[in-house]
Amino acid sequence: MKRFSLNQWTTRHWPLEELAAGCASAGVTGVGLWREPVAEYGLARTGELMRDHGLAVTSLCRGGFFQEPDALENNRRAVEEAAELGAPALCLVSGGLPEGSRDLDGARSRVADVLAELAPYAGEHGVQLAIEPLHPMFCSDRCVVSTLGQALDLAAPFPSSQVGVMVDTYHLWWDPAVWDGIARAGAEGRISLFQVADWVTPLPENVLTGRGMLGDGHVELRRFREAVDATGYTGPIEVEIFNDALWAMPGPEALALTLARYEEHVHEDPVSREDVQKEHVQKEHVQKEHGA
């Protein structure tokens, strides 16, 4: 519970005031917010609401979409919003190809160019830009950054305090290089946030809402958590699930289900490996003392 954070889109239709009260009541201390509902409720009011309920804003989603003509201006505003909310990380979804374009290399170069302008601005505001790689099926329209390695290469020219990466199980589970990427991200101090969701098949017609509830799919969720933890990351674990069935549930029920599945499939085992090893050593010692 200390590390669990509820991404606002997991309970998308839960009004912000009810979400804040429900999280506080359930003992949740972190939330990831989205710019659109924050703007609707009011930026200053949202910050006050979070503070009144003892909730830390673990991330703000989202910036990016660098193919747009006003990308730099829009992302500067997003940085300012994250800073006002006290969110340490601004999630960046890089955006897809410009309309009519097939120039994937050019689109990725555009991401690097905008980052060069945006990273110092984020640093001045105490916000880390968090590049989020998305599954390759989203490459054309949503995100030309598909692997953790690509995200880290884009982040490399900048201080880690300015640019990091998101590790999202839904988007990265398929990549055999992800484990080396996680180790590299940790060594470089660039893990901005760890997000979890499951991969279920068949995907729905609207693949964007195809994220599965934790434990319903194919992702080795605990292996991911252990790999991220092994780098020294001790920050929030944010559950971000886009799923129509989950969105149709009342907010408190969706949160209760999410918490239960998080405990079962992501959280540390109740008995750690170290505890098991200690118990084994103690048993051997007792057996020797009694001549067994």
Side-chain angles (χ1 to χ4, degrees):
M1 289 291 290
K2 291 179 180 179
R3 298 178 68 187
F4 176 92
S5 176
L6 177 70
N7 185 280
Q8 189 175 9
W9 235 237
T10 300
T11 54
R12 180 177 180 178
H13 303 300
W14 203 9
L16 192 57
E17 289 184 350
E18 295 180 21
L19 180 149
C23 284
S25 177
V28 173
T29 59
V31 292
L33 296 178
W34 280 64
R35 294 180 68 196
E36 295 84 355
V38 166
E40 183 178 341
Y41 190 78
L43 183 62
R45 286 183 69 206
T46 299
E48 184 178 1
L49 180 68
M50 296 299 110
R51 291 189 292 272
D52 287 347
H53 287 84
L55 296 170
V57 180
T58 54
S59 69
L60 181 65
C61 195
R62 66 186 183 255
F65 289 87
F66 296 134
Q67 81 275 22
E68 301 295 335
D70 63 346
L72 184 57
E73 179 184 351
N74 184 46
N75 279 276
R76 281 177 172 160
R77 287 198 303 269
V79 166
E80 294 163 5
E81 293 164 14
E84 184 166 342
L85 291 168
L90 172 66
C91 174
L92 294 185
V93 176
S94 69
L97 294 170
E99 186 175 355
S101 173
R102 294 183 175 88
D103 185 5
L104 189 55
D105 290 340
R108 289 174 177 148
S109 294
R110 168 70 172 167
V111 175
D113 291 343
V114 179
L115 281 174
E117 296 279 346
L118 189 62
Y121 192 74
E124 292 170 7
H125 287 77
V127 174
Q128 187 183 44
L129 304 176
I131 304 171
E132 181 174 20
L134 265 58
H135 190 280
M137 67 180 172
F138 296 113
C139 188
S140 64
D141 63 339
R142 303 191 74 80
C143 190
V144 296
V145 181
S146 301
T147 70
L148 194 55
Q150 288 173 333
L152 287 166
D153 288 346
L154 285 165
F158 311 102
S160 59
S161 60
Q162 294 180 3
V163 184
V165 297
M166 304 271 278
V167 177
D168 187 321
T169 60
Y170 176 78
H171 292 299
L172 298 177
W173 76 278
W174 60 275
D175 186 0
V178 70
W179 312 112
D180 289 338
I182 289 172
R184 175 186 166 189
E188 296 177 4
R190 294 194 189 271
I191 300 180
S192 305
L193 189 65
F194 176 38
Q195 290 185 326
V196 291
D198 216 333
W199 180 281
V200 294
T201 47
L203 292 172
E205 183 176 353
N206 179 10
V207 294
L208 190 61
T209 59
R211 301 190 189 199
M213 172 52 67
L214 309 176
D216 282 353
H218 309 288
V219 181
E220 294 180 287
L221 295 166
R222 185 165 279 117
R223 181 184 179 189
F224 263 93
R225 198 265 303 153
E226 290 174 345
V228 170
D229 285 358
T231 70
Y233 175 82
T234 58
I237 301 174
E238 199 174 276
V239 180
E240 185 186 60
I241 302 174
F242 302 175
N243 185 288
D244 289 318
L246 189 62
W247 290 346
M249 296 174 62
E253 292 182 20
L255 175 58
L257 175 62
T258 303
L259 281 168
R261 293 298 190 88
Y262 170 86
E263 182 71 22
E264 181 179 0
H265 296 286
V266 180
H267 191 260
E268 294 182 36
D269 295 322
V271 180
S272 70
R273 294 176 182 175
E274 183 179 351
D275 290 337
V276 171
Q277 186 176 14
K278 285 181 179 178
E279 183 179 357
H280 180 69
V281 171
Q282 289 172 349
K283 284 182 179 179
E284 285 188 340
H285 180 69
V286 171
Q287 288 173 349
K288 288 179 180 179
E289 282 188 342
H290 290 81

